């Protein structure tokens, strides 16, 4: 029978911006400025969405700011399942083939909320921007990386479809929340619960100057969404500190 617990309320964030365009600029289409600014507004809206998504989840996964409904951080050694079991999805090793195996094994052993085996298999590896090249070499090399022996690479053979991802928002230049952001990495299954709830998808609109006292057009963009970790299930990570 389905069971719920640790219910929480979350706010839906609203993004709304507009560009005022003088009617004369619109008429003259000066130097392509209107087209450029419109493209920039759409790009900035997407960037804002990605920025918030990473800050709310993996960007600060080791503190309460990314907390799941049980009150612990997204990646923590003290999650409490509804069954009463303590769940540990936190590791600390730097990104190597051996330490990645530790994190993947942690994910595969992870219990579900009812105390049974969760049944998770690694489907994605999300790494800091500094680790993207290393992560690709570890997981996609035909032979074992960093060795002189003609040894098969476990990762590219057993997990050939595991996707490797990164983001500039997982770098210290754009993330001051996580002191270990440049060394952190995460393994997720296809059934992870870090969820984007979209109440209104990105929409744009060109508003004519009929009602503006300064005779301006407005190009508007807005969306409403929130990113929430519904639970720790399907996620395991390392801060890469040792």
């Amino acid at each position: 029978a389905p069971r719920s617990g640790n219910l929480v309320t979350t706010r839906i964030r609203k993004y709304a911006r507009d560009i005022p365009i003088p009617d004369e600029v619109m008429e003259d289409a000066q130097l392509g400025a209107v087209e450029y600014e419109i493209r920039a507004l759409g790009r900035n809206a997407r960037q804002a969405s990605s920025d918030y998504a990473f800050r709310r989840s993996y960007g600060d996964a080791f503190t309460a700011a990314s907390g799941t409904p049980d009150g612990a951080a997204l990646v923590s050694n003290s999650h409490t399942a509804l069954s009463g079991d303590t769940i540990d999805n936190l590791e600390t090793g730097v990104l190597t083939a051996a330490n990645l195996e530790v994190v993947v094994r942690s994910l595969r052993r992870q219990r579900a909320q009812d105390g049974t085996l969760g049944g998770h298999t690694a489907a994605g590896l999300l790494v800091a921007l500094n680790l993207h090249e290393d992560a690709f070499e570890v997981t996609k090399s035909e032979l074992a990386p960093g060795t002189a022996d003609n040894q098969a690479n476990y990762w590219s053979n057993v997990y050939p479809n595991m996707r490797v991802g990164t983001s500039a928002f997982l770098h210290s230049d754009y993330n001051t929340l996580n002191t270990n952001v440049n060394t952190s990495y995460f393994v997720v299954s296809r059934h992870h619960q870090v969820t984007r709830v979209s109440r209104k998808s990105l929409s744009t609109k060109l508003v004519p100057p009929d009602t503006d006292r300064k005779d301006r057009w407005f190009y508007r963009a807005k969306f409403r969404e929130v990113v929430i970790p519904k639970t720790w299930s399907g996620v395991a990570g390392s801060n890469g500190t040792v």
Side-chain angles (χ1 to χ4, degrees):
R3 178 186 174 192
S4 61
N6 300 325
L7 301 181
V8 297
T9 300
T10 186
R11 295 175 181 266
I12 305 295
R13 293 171 58 91
K14 178 181 179 180
Y15 176 98
R17 295 288 187 273
D18 60 34
I19 303 174
I21 307 170
D23 191 40
E24 296 76 15
V25 174
M26 182 68 80
E27 289 175 347
D28 299 340
Q30 294 178 2
L31 303 177
V34 175
E35 291 81 359
Y36 176 82
E37 293 298 336
I38 287 175
R39 289 196 301 268
L41 180 61
R43 183 173 64 250
N44 290 341
R46 290 300 184 193
Q47 292 282 69
S49 177
S50 296
D51 183 12
Y52 175 70
F54 281 110
R55 289 177 187 271
R56 183 67 179 87
S57 50
Y58 303 103
D60 193 23
F62 308 104
T63 70
S66 67
T68 56
D70 68 340
L74 174 62
V75 179
S76 168
N77 55 16
S78 59
H79 288 290
T80 303
L82 296 182
S83 63
D85 292 313
T86 298
I87 308 298
D88 181 358
N89 67 341
L90 169 63
E91 302 296 338
T92 57
V94 299
L95 179 62
T96 63
N99 286 336
L100 179 59
E101 184 178 349
V102 172
V103 179
V104 169
R105 192 183 305 126
S106 172
L107 181 67
R108 295 190 67 177
R109 298 192 340 261
Q110 191 179 93
R111 292 181 181 272
Q113 292 281 3
D114 62 1
T116 62
L117 181 65
H120 297 296
T121 300
L125 172 61
L126 180 64
V127 301
L129 188 62
N130 285 0
L131 299 178
H132 194 217
E133 181 179 358
D134 293 340
F136 190 86
E137 290 179 354
V138 167
T139 59
K140 303 303 181 183
S141 297
E142 182 177 350
L143 303 178
T147 66
D149 300 325
N150 188 22
Q151 180 179 348
N153 183 6
Y154 171 81
W155 298 106
S156 60
N157 283 276
V158 178
Y159 294 93
N161 297 319
M162 183 165 65
R163 299 185 63 179
V164 178
T166 188
S167 169
F169 295 116
L170 295 178
H171 189 278
S172 55
D173 284 352
Y174 297 98
N175 189 319
T176 59
L177 302 174
N178 177 8
T179 56
N180 302 308
V181 64
N182 289 340
T183 59
S184 300
Y185 57 98
F186 311 90
V187 175
V188 299
S189 81
R190 293 187 180 277
H191 308 295
H192 72 81
Q193 293 291 298
V194 179
T195 306
R196 185 190 302 272
V197 180
S198 180
R199 285 289 180 261
K200 180 178 179 61
S201 58
L202 176 62
S203 64
T204 58
K205 181 180 181 181
L206 184 62
V207 182
D210 302 350
T211 59
D212 183 64
R213 296 180 62 183
K214 295 184 179 181
D215 202 26
R216 296 171 299 180
W217 296 73
F218 288 89
Y219 190 78
R220 292 177 175 165
K222 64 181 179 179
F223 62 86
R224 294 176 61 235
E225 66 180 27
V226 67
V227 175
I228 53 174
K230 292 182 177 179
T231 178
W232 37 262
S233 181
V235 177
S238 172
N239 57 26
T241 55
V242 297

